[in-house]
Amino acid sequence: MTVSEHAPFTATVLGLPRVGPRRELKRATESYWAGRLDAEQLHTVARDLRRTQLTELLAAGLDSIPVGTFSYYDQVLDTAVLLGALPERVAGIADPLDRYFAAARGTDTVEPLEMTKWFDTNYHYLVPEIGPETTFALHPEKLLAELSEAIELGVPARPVVVGPVTFLKLAKATGGAALDRLGELVPLYRDLLRQLAAAGAAWVQIDEPVLVTDLTADEIELVRRTYAELAEASERPAILVATYFGTPGDALPALASTAVEGIALDFTAALDLSAVASLPSLADKLLVAGVVDGRNVWRTDLDRALSTLGTLLGSASSVTVSSSCSLLHVPYSLEPETGLDEKLRSWLAFGAEKVTEVRLLATALAQGTEAIADDLAAARAAAESRTADPRLSDAQVRARLDSLGPDATRRAPAEERRALQAQRLDLPALPTTTIGSYPQTSAIRLARAALRKGEIDQAEYVRRMRAEIADVVALQEKLDLDVLVHGEPERNDMVQYFAEQLDGFAATENGWVQSYGTRCVRPPILFGDVTRRTPMTVDWITYAQSLTDKPVKGMLTGPVTILAWSFVRDDQPLADSARQVALAIRDETVDLQSAGIRIIQVDEPALRELLPLRAADQPAYLDWSVGAFRLATSGVSDATQIHTHLCYSEFGEVIDAIAGLDADVTSIEAARSRMEVLDDLNAAGFDLGVGPGVYDIHSPRVPSVEEITTSLRAALKAVPAERLWVNPDCGLKTRGPVEVEASLRNMVAAAKAVR
Ligand code: GLN
Ligand code: ZN
């Protein structure tokens, strides 16, 4: 089988968003969970969304369209279902949809799969569990159904699956290395290929983003063998292996040496273009060139993209224009963003606009640049207006940053701080606290919506938020927690909250991006230099403190997280943007301290997420990210206790950096990954305060006192009592008030029992 037997295609994207342009799928899914919709109604909403999307992409002129990237929750979980690899504990749930959601979210009796970040993005996938009891079996029904649905619409459908190497590398394996199971998966994928071909697929896309991470020579050889074997299958579609989020390095020649027909590369990453262009084994392949950034929102520099494409033209049998990765990571369309300033808007491209860019570039490739002359001119004009914009450079902020000396990132030694703080705070052993947010009740959401629509004024909004704060403070006093929080009712999304108050950021109205399951976020857009106009949190926190004698933690978000969860500038190094944000946060900590706040938490849940995928790039990142955190937190006195919070993922690789943050107390997600993190911290010589999350807030389950007691006892084996804090593993905003109260009551009881 050669690629010429399959029509090469010219314009595509690697995957599609699925929550719906107005988050229709989110709403329907949550209604299904609440029992307000039945499965049939949910499927109908999903099917309508897929059909509309496919029809639009067809009309936009893509000649190969990904199918099967739709998901009710997560594509990795879908792959686990495809391969028959759901854990045994959900097997008893007869209804397939409920079984699926049980694996995703847990039930009263079943723990969900762990969730962690998808490479260096803010999307979370569910971690497949593979054990000796796992017997793989192919269940291609979902993919086949979506394929035939697309074919019926006349769509040139290209089914997409997560590849076997990525699937296994991302899985959590017990009883042997996950990759040892590759031999069992290859026949299933071959069978799948056969069925997809029979169903009419000319191409299949197999996603192997793991190829852009550091792989050993043995692993690369496994990749080669796997794809050589898949390519040997006699009945199959042409195979496109997709890599993204970076460069495949040595895995590229290995992959190219196999008989797969196509390879997708991310040309927005620092890829060595000449090395790709001169790779002889690419000569007979379709090269899918990801020149349109699939994970940031800037308008593509069409001239540069065309020059990249031009360099590639001779090196492959054909070159296809594509997004660099799935469009899952950007909002659907700029169209509803009428609130953005015209200039900024002209610098941007969301999902729909990226599809247009792909189509334009493919047209230019086929017909010459004259064919898109007007569009080229418009893109150039937008780029010029961007570089000339005064908001891109604030002399004052830059001068302030330049004048900072090394003391700006240093506090007194930890023991000195500990003594001062202990005296000032007078907390019991194993102090109990929470991570910051309390449930975002419907009253909160209604108030926010009413303010937005102008139905209530700012004063009324503040009154309602204060009432929420008072409730949350009263609840915490009733539950007898030791360090209180104000509950963050005024923040829908914390990063959005800060970005809205900082100059240099813009907010969208409808720029939703899936974070996990039905949780969507609207990442702000950082386009210019950052300055803080006025205090951002002081009124809320001091109000909460006025209601209680117990210490209330001030709650801020750290510079790395603000950037990680925003669309960032592509015209200066991220490290420079981080220092600007850090300075704004630092000013806020100083204001909180002046207002009498004794504990300030600066959340950095995304510290791990931005870690570069390749080890060689990590030290430089850790250096600037830790530096930015310290810049943000070293402006306060030594008697002010700095907390930080980190969540999701294995912290192994960043453990030294966690110590480097030098926060007096670090709360850390550990409930889902079972306290492993404490051993890692000890091994790194970490000796500051630590609150390993004692229960998992990502599931509605209420943990029992016994369960939490057991975790605390386990934690005490690793951490001395003087350093141990007791807290859930993350904020409580996505949970319901009833389960939160019950869970915290059990948590406090467990802390008291262990004391
Ligand atoms: N303080 C934030 C909250 O409680 C932290 C959120 C997070 O870790 N993602 O919601
Ligand atoms: Zn968290």
Side-chain angles (χ1 to χ4, degrees), residues 528-545:
D529 275 3
V530 176
T531 47
R532 187 190 74 139
R533 292 185 292 271
T534 54
M536 304 181 282
T537 64
V538 176
D539 286 350
W540 302 120
I541 310 290
T542 50
Y543 174 66
Q545 185 65 82

Side-chain angles (χ1 to χ4, degrees), residues 282-534:
L282 275 183
D284 63 347
K285 301 211 190 300
L286 177 82
L287 178 58
V288 174
V291 290
V292 170
D293 194 341
R295 53 187 292 198
N296 208 337
V297 290
W298 301 104
R299 190 168 182 158
T300 304
D301 179 339
L302 295 180
D303 290 299
R304 202 173 59 203
L306 282 170
S307 127
T308 302
L309 293 166
T311 312
L312 296 171
L313 267 186
S315 53
S317 80
S318 50
V319 173
T320 301
V321 185
S322 173
S323 61
S324 61
C325 60
S326 169
L327 297 183
L328 179 67
H329 308 287
V330 290
Y332 271 76
S333 164
L334 259 181
E335 201 200 279
E337 301 305 330
T338 47
L340 285 178
D341 90 60
E342 258 322 293
K343 251 176 139 189
L344 172 58
R345 198 169 188 271
S346 77
W347 307 339
L348 301 174
F350 289 0
E353 294 75 27
K354 287 176 192 294
V355 169
T356 306
E357 291 178 333
V358 163
R359 186 57 259 169
L360 285 171
L361 290 166
T363 302
L365 217 51
Q367 301 167 26
T369 52
E370 313 76 54
I372 63 160
D374 290 352
D375 300 284
L376 271 178
R380 286 177 194 142
E384 274 161 31
S385 100
R386 185 170 167 209
T387 32
D389 196 289
R391 292 171 294 179
L392 266 58
S393 179
D394 181 315
Q396 236 176 339
V397 175
R398 290 179 180 235
R400 236 185 115 195
L401 282 169
D402 286 344
S403 71
L404 292 173
D407 278 351
T409 53
R410 269 205 297 262
R411 302 183 76 203
E415 320 77 76
E416 279 175 38
R417 297 182 336 236
R418 184 149 40 217
L420 287 169
Q421 293 161 15
Q423 203 179 11
R424 191 170 178 218
L425 293 167
D426 192 28
L427 296 168
L430 307 187
T432 51
T433 190
T434 54
I435 304 305
S437 59
Y438 272 71
Q440 289 266 327
T441 58
S442 51
I444 297 175
R445 275 194 289 268
L446 286 175
R448 218 189 324 276
L451 178 70
R452 211 169 34 232
K453 289 189 212 131
E455 291 162 12
I456 59 171
D457 62 6
Q458 182 67 23
E460 171 63 12
Y461 175 74
V462 169
R463 201 192 59 72
R464 293 195 194 175
M465 290 301 120
R466 286 190 164 208
E468 292 291 335
I469 291 173
D471 284 352
V472 165
V473 169
L475 172 68
Q476 295 171 89
E477 292 214 300
K478 180 175 98 183
L479 291 170
D480 201 21
L481 283 143
D482 301 307
V483 171
L484 310 195
V485 296
H486 78 296
E488 305 179 21
E490 79 287 11
R491 305 177 196 176
N492 173 15
D493 174 88
M494 62 194 198
V495 168
Q496 195 180 318
Y497 177 78
F498 287 100
E500 272 168 13
Q501 300 185 71
L502 292 169
D503 281 340
F505 283 94
T508 65
E509 277 163 57
N510 194 55
W512 296 103
V513 176
Q514 186 179 19
S515 173
Y516 66 86
T518 59
R519 171 120 185 113
C520 301
V521 293
R522 253 184 314 159
I525 300 170
L526 172 63
F527 66 92
D529 275 3
V530 176
T531 47
R532 187 190 74 139
R533 292 185 292 271
T534 54

Side-chain angles (χ1 to χ4, degrees), residues 217-228:
D218 287 348
E219 288 172 331
I220 290 178
E221 171 53 18
L222 272 180
V223 170
R224 193 200 57 75
R225 267 216 316 266
T226 301
Y227 282 90

